[in-house]
Amino acid sequence: MWRQTTPSLLTATKSGCFRLTLRTEQRRTVILPRWLPNLNLFQGAIKHQDRVAIIAESKKYTYASLLRHAAKGAKQLKGDHTESAVKTGEYPPRVAFLFSPGFEYVATQWSIWAAGAIAVPLASSHPPAELEYIIGDAQAKKVLYQSKFAEKIQALQSKFPLVEWEEIPDAKPSEGQDSDSRPTNINEEDNLSKDRGAMLIYTSGTTGKPKGVLTTINNIEAQSTSLIEAWKWNSKDKILHVLPLHHVHGVINALTCPLWVGATVEFFPFDARKVWDRWMAESRDLTVFMAVPTVYARLAAEYDKMPPAEQAYATKACAQFRLMVSGSAPLPDTLFAKWEKISGHKLLERYGMTEIGMALGNPYDGPRIPGTVGKPFPHVSTQIISDAGADVTAQPDATGELYVSGPQVFKEYWNKPEATAKELQDGWFKTGDIVKKSEDGMYTILGRASVDIVKSGGYKISSLEVERTLLAHPSIADVAVVGLPDEEWGQILAAMIVLRDKTKEVTVEDVKHFLQDKLAHYKIPRRVVVVGELPRNAMGKVDKKTVLKGF
Ligand code: MCA
Ligand code: AMP
């Protein structure tokens, strides 16, 4: 029985914890827990504390470590505001964060969620101009960043005098016994409204600059649990994660899903040869892999370079996987067949979008049909709406735009009520993708309704954004940007240019040089032609079908 005779002392320990020392007749020390709000993601992680959550650069980090960093980070974030300011309101503060894929990225993301703020992931590959746009558009209150990006951040700080900037030190791996024994608990009373904004991911649209897609805690939960059910994610899984962490594919499918169930995520910067080496390592401990078609094309090309004996070894190594998924862009039938020959796996092709998470997928158990993207995932509803506005969902092979509804569908475009009202009506999101459905219910994606959207290496690019940026080039009078079919990249960007001064020249290198500090590298055209004038239709609009033929 505790008997307090003198006031208690709260002291900070070296590891950053707090120790409550009660002055009693018999002195004892009680370690106070750290607290996290009552979110299902954290509830799940609490059950798996001793398991490895993250591996990065061969260092291992347990769920206990992740929870502790999340709780500590959340406390620091909330320190800037009163608790209620963070936790109430439809639009909590936006906290942007710039980290490479690794433990610190995840710990920071979780701490932002635990603080009740909106996580805005920034891409480390983006030039300052793209970061500036996102920080400004999201009206970020705070930007957290890893020390290695300090220089990149410095270039931005003067532009945002009201934003708070904080460098986050790298975490120590949890080797053996964790030095910090303070437990992390869930505060069951601390319920965040699940309909509040939780993540803002920027995606290109037909109107030019990227739009912020705001998803709520409910959306993230629905997107994750639907895939967990469909793909049988479980705590024994280990995924090799090679994708960027500023898009849904990398953030939800390959990261939040495994962490939801207590599985292990091993981050691995994509390099085809190194990925094969990792797969061929003795451990054979991986179970899931997912990527965009370009990644599979690169892996297949690397396989082709191996001598026959190594190829046989590589093929055998692929048996460790229970699931290999392709998505974000069309998977060519030839690549599907080639990959099956190489790995013995029929790739599970699925279809999704930043605004809706994953909508359609080939079956986990059952035939995977190349060229199709399967049927709606659990809890997803779909409709096909014809050009004339008729619902043709029930008519086999009728084409139309895909509409999607369900708990996965985002809340709104950030600060763009008109765009939200246009694309999201009565809970149905208009995807802009033209589809058809076969008699047995399998969907095929036929293409985009707009030629101004290009998919290259799995990244969505607005040709209008690239055109507008190129028009600032002093020698360029007019420009049309299109996506050319390409085996490796799906599409590659190409620019048809009209010069101000016909005696001058503009090359691909000039274009690259001009754009590299303005746009992400995947938005840079790889082909350039100079013409006297752009082909236009009777209305004076650039005729992009004719532009395509000019390369
Ligand atoms: C890079 N290069 C390109 C492109 N990107 N060339 C043509 N088109 C491109 N788009 C060139 C570079 O200039 C360089 O050439 C060389 O290729 C290698 O560049 P690097 O950046 O190193 O390429 P990489 O790192 O190997 O990247 C390829 C990649 C990457 C791994 C396929 O693009 C990637 O991670 N893509 C995934 C994107 C993604 O996750 N999308 C999901 C969004 P040089 O050496 O001559 O300079 S869609 C989504 O989230 C929805 C919800 C969904 O459905 O999933
Ligand atoms: P994003 O806006 O970057 O999330 O990209 C979403 C877009 O990627 C969709 O609207 C589709 O056009 C395309 N997409 C995703 N998965 C597939 C797929 N399996 N096949 C064809 N297109 C896809």
Side-chain angles (χ1 to χ4, degrees):
M1 181 75 181
W2 296 103
R3 197 151 62 86
Q4 201 166 329
T5 51
T6 46
S8 314
L9 272 183
L10 196 59
T11 47
T13 66
K14 262 192 202 156
S15 54
C17 304
F18 289 93
R19 182 164 285 148
L20 178 70
T21 309
L22 300 175
R23 297 205 185 282
T24 62
E25 282 167 7
Q26 267 180 303
R27 258 184 196 221
R28 287 198 208 166
T29 300
V30 177
I31 306 286
L32 287 181
R34 297 180 195 278
W35 295 103
L36 281 170
N38 193 7
L39 291 183
N40 287 338
L41 178 66
F42 302 150
Q43 289 277 16
I46 288 275
K47 295 185 205 131
H48 301 283
Q49 302 221 32
D50 295 336
R51 294 185 63 83
V52 174
I54 306 288
I55 303 177
E57 292 171 356
S58 308
K59 295 187 205 106
K60 294 182 178 163
Y61 305 82
T62 58
Y63 277 93
S65 209
L66 186 50
L67 289 164
R68 198 168 49 244
H69 276 82
K72 199 170 149 192
K75 194 158 186 288
Q76 274 161 7
L77 279 172
K78 283 194 286 193
D80 306 27
H81 322 273
T82 68
E83 194 144 308
S84 58
V86 177
K87 292 173 77 179
T88 58
E90 232 181 325
Y91 301 112
R94 272 74 60 208
V95 179
F97 61 116
L98 181 61
F99 288 74
S100 355
F103 175 79
E104 290 80 5
Y105 175 103
V106 186
T108 304
Q109 181 199 49
W110 281 30
S111 70
I112 297 170
W113 285 341
I118 295 177
V120 189
L122 299 171
S124 51
S125 59
H126 278 180
E130 294 260 15
L131 301 177
E132 183 183 338
Y133 169 72
I134 293 176
I135 294 167
D137 187 78
Q139 299 153 299
K141 174 156 181 59
K142 189 153 194 160
V143 178
L144 307 175
Y145 60 95
Q146 241 170 336
S147 325
K148 61 175 151 182
F149 300 122
E151 210 175 299
K152 209 166 207 175
I153 289 291
Q154 249 172 24
L156 293 163
Q157 280 171 323
S158 61
K159 313 225 166 160
F160 298 101
L162 299 179
V163 170
E164 298 157 26
W165 308 83
E166 190 178 336
E167 191 173 311
I168 304 293
D170 285 348
K172 289 201 179 69
S174 358
E175 305 287 11
Q177 191 99 51
D178 269 331
S179 57
D180 182 352
S181 55
R182 201 173 155 194
T184 314
N185 286 351
I186 303 289
N187 178 359
E188 309 270 350
E189 309 291 305
D190 187 3
N191 289 306
L192 295 167
S193 151
K194 287 190 164 185
D195 198 33
R196 58 193 277 122
M199 187 156 67
L200 202 48
I201 287 197
Y202 278 78
T203 183
S204 292
T206 43
T207 44
K209 281 300 227 185
K211 297 195 282 273
V213 172
L214 183 68
T215 42
T216 62
I217 294 172
N218 263 335
N219 297 147
I220 293 170
E221 196 159 324
Q223 291 178 5
S224 307
T225 51
S226 169
L227 290 185
I228 289 166
E229 186 181 333
W231 293 344
K232 302 193 189 329
W233 277 107
N234 65 80
S235 63
K236 293 199 185 77
D237 276 323
K238 188 172 194 180
I239 182 170
L240 193 73
H241 190 305
V242 299
L243 295 165
L245 287 178
H246 62 297
H247 283 298
V248 165
H249 196 164
V251 177
I252 299 289
N253 301 20
L255 180 63
T256 310
C257 284
L259 295 182
W260 201 279
V261 297
T264 300
V265 177
E266 181 172 332
F267 288 110
F268 204 85
F270 181 68
D271 174 297
R273 178 65 231 187
K274 288 185 183 149
V275 166
W276 274 116
D277 288 342
R278 172 64 187 90
W279 290 0
M280 289 191 277
E282 284 295 303
S283 52
R284 302 287 155 96
D285 53 346
L286 300 166
T287 62
V288 178
F289 187 74
M290 52 185 70
V292 298
T294 304
V295 163
Y296 288 105
R298 291 257 187 105
L299 287 167
E302 200 58 44
Y303 178 93
D304 286 343
K305 289 188 211 156
M306 295 175 192
E310 194 181 13
Q311 285 186 339
Y313 195 73
T315 296
K316 232 171 149 190
C318 292
Q320 68 196 297
F321 294 104
R322 68 170 181 86
L323 176 65
M324 297 189 120
V325 181
S326 173
S328 302
L331 175 68
D333 294 4
T334 45
L335 187 54
F336 177 94
K338 184 163 187 182
W339 193 255
E340 188 177 5
K341 214 164 156 219
I342 289 174
S343 69
H345 286 273
K346 286 185 197 292
L347 286 171
L348 188 158
E349 184 174 9
R350 56 69 186 169
Y351 159 93
M353 213 173 165
T354 307
E355 288 88 336
I356 55 172
M358 297 305 109
L360 304 162
N362 271 277
Y364 182 80
D365 297 306
R368 297 174 190 167
I369 318 273
T372 81
V373 289
K375 297 182 179 177
F377 278 113
H379 321 293
V380 174
S381 305
T382 49
Q383 280 182 348
I384 304 174
I385 306 297
S386 74
D387 262 1
D391 183 349
V392 294
T393 320
Q395 291 172 34
D397 293 325
T399 62
E401 184 177 353
L402 177 70
Y403 285 32
V404 174
S405 82
Q408 291 91 340
V409 174
F410 76 127
K411 187 181 177 80
E412 62 196 19
Y413 289 117
W414 181 251
N415 244 339
K416 292 192 168 44
E418 280 163 26
T420 308
K422 193 165 160 249
E423 314 292 348
L424 188 60
Q425 285 166 13
D426 303 323
W428 286 95
F429 176 67
K430 301 173 171 182
T431 63
D433 286 305
I434 306 301
V435 303
K436 66 174 184 180
K437 189 174 70 156
S438 67
E439 197 141 23
D440 52 4
M442 299 293 272
Y443 279 78
T444 300
I445 310 293
L446 300 168
R448 294 286 309 178
S450 164
V451 281
D452 292 321
I453 294 291
V454 177
K455 265 267 160 165
S456 188
Y459 285 113
K460 184 153 96 173
I461 302 158
S462 159
S463 58
L464 302 182
E465 183 187 11
V466 182
E467 286 164 7
R468 210 185 37 224
T469 314
L470 271 176
L471 279 174
H473 189 292
S475 303
I476 296 179
D478 209 353
V479 59
V481 169
V482 290
L484 304 179
D486 184 84
E487 216 172 286
E488 182 180 0
W489 296 98
Q491 286 178 297
I492 53 165
L493 276 189
M496 184 173 267
I497 288 173
V498 179
L499 293 175
R500 286 189 193 287
D501 178 347
K502 310 280 185 239
T503 62
K504 292 233 168 86
E505 217 192 316
V506 166
T507 62
V508 172
E509 283 311 311
D510 297 330
V511 164
K512 189 174 171 188
H513 188 252
F514 179 73
L515 291 180
Q516 66 191 6
D517 61 345
K518 300 178 181 64
L519 293 177
H521 68 290
Y522 46 85
K523 297 180 184 171
I524 296 176
R526 313 284 152 171
R527 300 268 304 274
V528 166
V529 292
V530 174
V531 293
E533 60 179 319
L534 296 179
R536 293 183 185 274
N537 63 20
M539 311 290 289
K541 203 169 172 275
V542 173
D543 173 3
K544 289 215 165 167
K545 283 199 177 120
T546 310
V547 172
L548 273 168
K549 290 182 195 144
F551 290 91

